[in-house]
Amino acid sequence: LDEFIKYDEWLETLKIPYVSALNELVSNSKIEDFIELNEIHQNSRINEIVEEIYNKKIKVVLIGGPSSSGKTTSAKKVALYLQNKGLHPFLISVDDYYKERADTEKDENGNYKYEEIKALDIELFNTQMKDLLDGKEVIMPTFNFKTGKKEYGDKSKKLNPDDIIIIEGLHTMNEELTSKISRDVKYKIYASPFTPLGIDRHNHISTSDIRLLRRIVRDNVTRGYTPEHTIKNWNGVRTGEEQYVFPYQEEADAILNTILVYEIGVLKVYVEPLLHSIKKESEYYIDAKRLITFLNSFFPIPGSYVPKESILREFIGNSYFK
């Protein structure tokens, strides 16, 4: 709530309370300056968080949040800022610690329950993180999503005094994931897009819709998925978040608002053709029409205006953070 209020105050300062004001910037060719202000504002918040991590001499940074909240780029940005402080960040993805697919539970429809924390090999994860902090050398797994198995190569790691672990994943706010690590050496960042920008005085923008638009674009750009595929799975994703992500928000030491006020205008360019490709016969046509109607309020903004290091690049592609 505090981050939402701060962002609202910032937009009031810039006199951008509604989409109409944003559209005016586009029509007056002033949107590039506003994009830079957005990025500066967000990076300033990241810098504040990194200062606190550095001053507290934290050893483990955990970055979590719901789907399409920009966790991956946020983790890499935090790592870069910590590197600027003379530390050596070591990034770990919780996704590499899935249980073997043969050991993963399925739901009533036969789909693997990947959203549950039980889908992770928590014992292995806890043990390896504790061993790293105890100065032991650890051979870490990489999860092969094609075979559904963990693979062990030469990915060994032993922490040096200036190393700091950064863990990114869906369940990082849940203490069960890192129960063997003392809470006083951990720092938890909850990342999610919260926007106070309104369509008008009475209609506000849904955080869930922003994340869905991000995911439709990313799934298509990076994985070749159709928009129907993404929309079909969205309810399941949301159900998983309600159970396994949102209840643990209060565990966070810091909230990182990953919204970029201009981003819907950029996403519009990518996502509108995809939504228009959904035919009337499709059961997801109504969802597509609703999103198209929502996007009609926004003027398009070229993706080329988006900086390479922006969190938005995680979804539209061509990011500095490969």
Side-chain angles (χ1 to χ4, degrees), residues 1 21 27 38 42 64 76 95 129 152 160 172 181 212 219 226 276 296:
L1 184 60
S27 60
N38 270 235
Q42 192 172 82
K76 290 176 180 178
D95 286 357
M129 296 307 106
Y152 294 87
N160 295 311
T172 48
I181 302 173
L212 175 56
D219 280 359
T226 65
H276 278 296
N296 284 341

Side-chain angles (χ1 to χ4, degrees), residues 33-227:
D33 285 344
F34 184 68
I35 287 173
E36 286 300 323
L37 288 174
N38 270 235
E39 298 292 338
I40 289 168
H41 185 77
Q42 192 172 82
N43 289 337
S44 295
R45 177 58 180 149
I46 293 173
N47 191 56
E48 288 174 2
I49 292 170
V50 166
E51 284 289 338
E52 189 172 358
I53 291 168
Y54 182 78
N55 291 332
K56 288 185 174 181
K57 296 180 169 53
I58 296 296
K59 295 303 294 179
V60 179
V61 178
L62 297 121
I63 301 179
S67 173
S68 303
S69 59
K71 296 185 292 294
T72 301
T73 302
S74 296
K76 290 176 180 178
K77 279 194 154 190
V78 167
L80 205 59
Y81 278 58
L82 286 168
Q83 197 173 338
N84 186 52
K85 289 284 192 182
L87 298 177
H88 301 119
F90 179 57
L91 276 78
I92 295 172
S93 172
V94 176
D95 286 357
D96 282 324
Y97 286 84
Y98 275 119
K99 289 178 180 175
E100 310 300 289
R101 193 166 292 154
D103 300 325
T104 305
E105 291 184 16
K106 294 181 180 180
D107 62 19
E108 62 277 6
N109 298 316
N111 298 315
Y112 290 105
K113 296 160 78 170
Y114 285 126
E115 289 81 16
E116 292 189 1
I117 193 167
K118 290 190 295 184
L120 298 171
D121 192 337
I122 297 174
E123 179 60 31
L124 175 66
F125 186 82
N126 258 298
T127 299
Q128 290 205 334
M129 296 307 106
K130 181 70 165 57
D131 286 347
L132 280 173
L133 291 173
D134 288 343
K136 298 177 183 177
E137 187 164 345
V138 174
I139 298 175
M140 308 171 75
T142 299
F143 193 82
N144 186 323
F145 285 90
K146 290 183 179 179
T147 64
K149 295 180 179 180
K150 290 190 286 293
E151 297 175 349
Y152 294 87
D154 56 355
K155 191 180 177 182
S156 64
K157 178 66 179 177
K158 183 176 182 179
L159 291 187
N160 295 311
D162 289 333
D163 285 351
I164 180 169
I165 299 172
I166 299 180
I167 302 169
E168 174 262 314
L170 197 63
H171 300 287
T172 48
M173 298 299 104
N174 189 337
E175 266 298 289
E176 186 181 350
L177 184 69
T178 53
S179 59
K180 291 185 179 180
I181 302 173
S182 173
R183 186 63 177 88
D184 60 0
V185 301
K186 295 186 289 195
Y187 189 96
K188 298 183 180 183
I189 303 170
Y190 184 85
S192 188
F194 308 105
T195 180
L197 185 72
I199 300 292
D200 51 40
R201 192 181 299 273
H202 306 291
N203 297 287
H204 298 282
I205 296 170
S206 160
T207 293
S208 176
D209 279 348
I210 292 170
R211 294 192 293 110
L212 175 56
L213 291 171
R214 285 178 170 187
R215 184 161 173 143
I216 290 171
V217 174
R218 184 186 63 189
D219 280 359
N220 185 260
V221 170
T222 64
R223 299 169 187 173
Y225 292 162
T226 65

